[in-house]
Amino acid sequence: ATHEYNTRKKDDLKLPYCRTNLRQNTICFQGPKLWNNIPSDIKQTRSLNIFKHSVKQLIMNLTL
């Protein structure tokens, strides 16, 4: 997070600057981008097992 204001995107990770498309395919860019696309209710779960189950369900629903 880049600030402490209570905004909708305050918990999102800042994406690094990428000058080339090749750099955008690295884990340094794709990891935070993927994390930012997970709904906040899933990101805020307290249990790792519930988090993993919720992410799997999200992925399954996107691929249908």
Side-chain angles (χ1 to χ4, degrees), residues 10-21:
K10 77 173 186 141
D11 293 327
D12 282 358
L13 299 173
K14 186 175 186 295
L15 296 176
Y17 172 73
C18 296
R19 192 174 52 86
T20 64
N21 288 335

Side-chain angles (χ1 to χ4, degrees), residues 4 6 28 36 40-41 43 45-46 56 60 62 64:
E4 295 182 19
N6 192 17
C28 295
N36 291 344
S40 61
D41 59 325
K43 286 193 258 186
T45 54
R46 303 245 182 226
K56 286 178 188 176
M60 294 299 286
L62 291 176
L64 294 178

Side-chain angles (χ1 to χ4, degrees), residues 1-44:
T2 57
H3 55 76
E4 295 182 19
Y5 299 112
N6 192 17
T7 61
R8 285 175 287 174
K9 299 288 185 178
K10 77 173 186 141
D11 293 327
D12 282 358
L13 299 173
K14 186 175 186 295
L15 296 176
Y17 172 73
C18 296
R19 192 174 52 86
T20 64
N21 288 335
L22 183 63
R23 173 84 170 147
Q24 287 183 354
N25 292 325
T26 63
I27 191 68
C28 295
F29 185 83
Q30 289 297 319
K33 183 178 175 185
L34 179 64
W35 177 257
N36 291 344
N37 288 329
I38 296 174
S40 61
D41 59 325
I42 294 175
K43 286 193 258 186
Q44 294 173 357

